[in-house]
Every structure is written in C-alpha cells, then in structure tokens.
Amino acid sequence: MIELQPFSIVDAPVLISKIKDKRSLLQFAGPMYRFPLTEGQLEMDLSDENRTLFKVVDVKHQNTIGHAQIFLKEKTFLLGRILIWDENNRGKGYGKKVMQELLKYGFSHLNRELAELNVYDWNTGAIECYKKVGFTIDPDIRNEAKIDDEIWVSLNMKIHRETFEI
C-alpha cells in the first residue's frame, strides 16, 4: 500500500506546492515554519541530525502522496509534519498505515520506549486515526498557536512500545 522513503531536497518542490496557505502550513507543521514554506526551511530539517524526513509513496502507483517526519527527543521520539496531500486519499487508511510505518521505524531504529505527537483538537479525523493505532491523549500537555484571530489548541498523544507491539 504505502512505503516510507527518504525525503531529500529534490522532493521539496512537490511538498512546497501542496502547502497553499498559512493555515494549512500551521496544521501540517506547527508554528516552527513560516509561510510560504521554502526549501531553506526544509534544508534546516534535513541538516538536523535528530530529524528524519520521509516521503510517503503509494507503492502500487509509484507516486509520492505525502510527507512525514520523526524527531528524536531526549526521552521520546516525536512524529510530526505528517501530510497526505490529496484530500481524495484521506479516509482510506493511508494515515493509519503511515503511522504504523513511522512507529515501526522509530521503535526499531531509535532507542526510545515512547513515541508522541501533537495534533490540533479540532482535527478529529486525525485524532481518531491516531487512537486506532494505539495513541492516547496526555491530558497534562497542551499548547496553543495563534493564527489570525483564532487560538488553536494542540493536544499531545503518546504510545508506548509495548502497546504498539500488541
């Protein structure tokens, strides 16, 4: 169905073309990037030794359908900047498969027992996808991001290695 392949700077123009406005950039990447997304911002991520970038490839059709990253933290690894860019591909199980592949990679390559991610509370489709994989909401961690006249609340979700392996 899908495969995670290394993302390189030659993949950047396609990803950049999929981020149409500052709201979609904030949803995709959180507050660390500035609109418009640039190759320079992606090069910063690529040069970060604690960050692994992937393109999400539809194996059957051999085309890139999304993007994802893993960020190694002191005690956990963080899944983020996850995007399936064609809305027609959403709700078809791609997100769940991407999460499973990211967790497989993270738990097999990184010496951590815990994975986490952040998701905006209004993104109920993503939250349900993450719950299906085994993530649970950590009620003690919440963040906020301001966009235009709105405040977006970010929830933190976690999964332990043994929960994922079940």
Side-chain angles (χ1 to χ4, degrees):
M1 181 186 218
I2 65 105
E3 181 177 274
L4 299 179
Q5 295 179 3
F7 177 92
S8 72
I9 202 63
V10 299
D11 301 307
V14 175
L15 174 58
I16 290 168
S17 75
K18 303 302 180 180
I19 307 297
K20 302 294 186 194
D21 55 46
K22 65 182 179 179
R23 295 173 79 82
S24 59
L25 181 61
L26 181 61
Q27 179 182 353
F28 159 65
M32 296 307 290
Y33 286 160
R34 295 286 172 253
F35 187 79
L37 182 59
T38 63
E39 285 189 17
Q41 292 175 87
L42 293 167
E43 284 172 343
M44 294 277 291
D45 283 352
L46 285 165
S47 67
D48 184 341
E49 65 185 25
N50 290 318
R51 199 174 284 278
T52 306
L53 285 69
F54 300 98
K55 57 185 176 181
V56 179
V57 175
D58 177 334
V59 177
K60 181 179 178 184
H61 299 101
Q62 280 302 301
N63 64 318
T64 302
I65 63 167
H67 180 84
Q69 295 187 17
I70 293 178
F71 180 67
L72 184 63
K73 296 174 68 174
E74 186 176 332
K75 296 182 180 181
T76 69
F77 62 91
L78 179 72
L79 309 184
R81 300 190 177 144
I82 300 163
L83 178 65
I84 302 297
W85 43 65
D86 184 346
E87 291 185 19
N88 294 323
N89 283 332
R90 296 182 190 161
K92 294 183 176 179
Y94 286 112
K96 181 179 178 185
K97 187 67 176 157
V98 168
M99 299 308 295
Q100 291 169 329
E101 292 300 313
L102 287 168
L103 290 168
K104 274 188 220 173
Y105 179 91
F107 286 130
S108 65
H109 290 83
L110 308 171
N111 187 25
R112 301 292 186 273
E113 295 298 313
L114 187 67
E116 65 180 308
L117 57 81
N118 296 302
V119 60
Y120 292 111
D121 64 353
W122 52 262
N123 194 348
T124 55
I127 292 168
E128 289 308 309
C129 172
Y130 305 150
K131 284 181 177 178
K132 286 178 185 173
V133 178
F135 279 89
T136 57
I137 294 173
D138 182 339
D140 298 326
I141 301 176
R142 295 170 70 92
N143 290 296
E144 294 181 348
K146 187 174 186 330
I147 184 156
D148 300 325
D149 294 330
E150 299 174 43
I151 301 292
W152 288 2
V153 176
S154 174
L155 305 176
N156 181 268
M157 299 181 78
K158 292 183 168 64
I159 186 170
H160 289 271
R161 178 192 300 261
E162 59 270 6
T163 302
F164 176 65
E165 290 178 346
I166 293 174

